Amino acid sequence: MQIVAVNGSPHGEKGSTGRLLAEVLGGTREAGATVQLFELGRLEIKPCRGCDACHRTGQCPLADAFAQVSAALLAADAVVLASPNYMFHVTAQMKSLLDRLCGPFHLHAFEGKYAATVVTAGGPELAPVADYLTRFLRAIGCQTVGGVAAEAYRLTDAAAAGERFAEARALGRRLVEAARDKVSFPGQEAERSAAARRMRELISLRHSDWSYEYEYLRHHGQL
Ligand SMILES: Cc1cc2nc3c(=O)[nH]c(=O)nc-3n(C[C@H](O)[C@H](O)[C@H](O)COP(=O)(O)O)c2cc1C
């Protein structure tokens, strides 16, 4: 059971997001999983240039850490995306990664994977970021097991932090159990399948531009 986690905070393991994420990953290890963690603050993932090469050729021409991170995510059984709230959204580092995943996103390539989210914020603005990450994860094909979120100040108070850390560990264990038992979340099906259908329709319409994706879907009997 391979878990791949990505922390979008520039503060790494020592930041609020990194500390909460560490508890989730501790829970996944307790449940028997192997973990690979990517700290985006230490990696270079350039912003997407919108060249469409991923749709035409299946390859991103930008040379940086993206190839390594995306290959690990594609090989994972379950993924964890973690980000603090930066101006009502994920960090620029996380957004660059998600934009660069546009090719796999079109192909709903995370189908069969399970996912969880970790979000922190200075104040109460946790839900917009958690909802955004969840929407992305379902639209790329994952079933989402849940998320943990905390205001940064709560993680400096021992009692409040303990409560959130316990919730985070339980989430990690649930993520591994869901992936191992192939649990299904029927409430997510309509959203996930609508996203896949939308992309199939768009790829059919754009078949002469997005030739790699059109051929991929045909080859896999999805058109
Ligand atoms: C550039 C920047 C923008 C931020 N924007 C918000 C925001 O819009 N809303 C909010 O509640 N917190 C905001 N924060 C606070 C962070 O979300 C919060 O401190 C978070 O826990 C930091 O996580 P980290 O320690 O893992 O980096 C912002 C912080 C920075 C540095």
Side-chain angles (χ1 to χ4, degrees):
M1 183 63 51
Q2 178 71 23
I3 308 290
V4 173
V6 181
N7 182 8
S9 167
H11 293 135
E13 297 97 331
K14 295 203 172 105
S16 310
T17 316
R19 288 169 58 225
L20 198 55
L21 174 61
E23 298 294 330
V24 175
L25 299 181
T28 67
R29 287 192 190 94
E30 278 165 20
T34 305
V35 175
Q36 186 174 18
L37 168 62
F38 291 102
E39 290 288 355
L40 296 186
R42 288 209 211 98
L43 297 171
E44 187 195 27
I45 297 191
K46 296 171 186 156
C48 174
R49 293 189 309 196
C51 67
D52 271 13
C54 54
H55 310 316
R56 283 186 282 107
T57 68
Q59 300 290 327
C60 180
L62 296 176
D64 56 24
F66 172 71
Q68 189 199 355
V69 178
S70 67
L73 287 167
L74 283 163
D77 298 294
V79 304
V80 184
L81 294 185
S83 180
N85 179 335
Y86 269 23
M87 301 303 172
F88 317 110
H89 214 289
V90 295
T91 60
Q93 290 86 340
M94 177 60 80
K95 187 62 165 49
S96 283
L97 172 66
L98 303 187
D99 289 349
R100 295 278 296 281
L101 285 167
C102 199
F105 182 89
H106 273 197
L107 297 173
H108 210 62
F110 284 23
E111 181 67 49
K113 298 185 198 308
Y114 289 80
T117 62
V118 176
V119 171
T120 67
E125 290 272 323
L126 296 159
V129 180
D131 291 350
Y132 169 75
L133 286 172
T134 300
R135 186 175 178 200
F136 170 85
L137 286 162
R138 289 183 187 167
I140 201 171
C142 296
Q143 295 192 78
T144 57
V145 172
V148 64
E151 297 91 341
Y153 68 86
R154 285 195 200 278
L155 301 182
T156 55
D157 170 84
E163 212 173 281
R164 286 298 194 288
F165 288 162
E167 196 189 319
R169 270 191 184 255
L171 174 64
R173 289 193 294 272
R174 272 205 325 279
L175 179 64
V176 173
E177 283 155 15
R180 184 178 290 145
D181 301 341
K182 302 261 175 274
V183 172
S184 66
F185 294 84
Q188 300 174 20
E189 267 328 290
E191 182 181 348
R192 291 189 332 106
S193 56
R197 191 170 54 247
R198 255 195 321 273
M199 290 322 308
R200 282 199 305 272
E201 287 166 3
L202 206 50
I203 290 165
S204 294
L205 285 168
R206 302 278 312 262
H207 63 92
S208 52
D209 301 321
W210 297 347
S211 45
Y212 168 81
E213 292 179 347
Y214 184 67
E215 288 311 322
Y216 179 96
L217 291 183
R218 268 167 46 110
H219 183 73
H220 289 84
Q222 292 179 40
L223 285 179

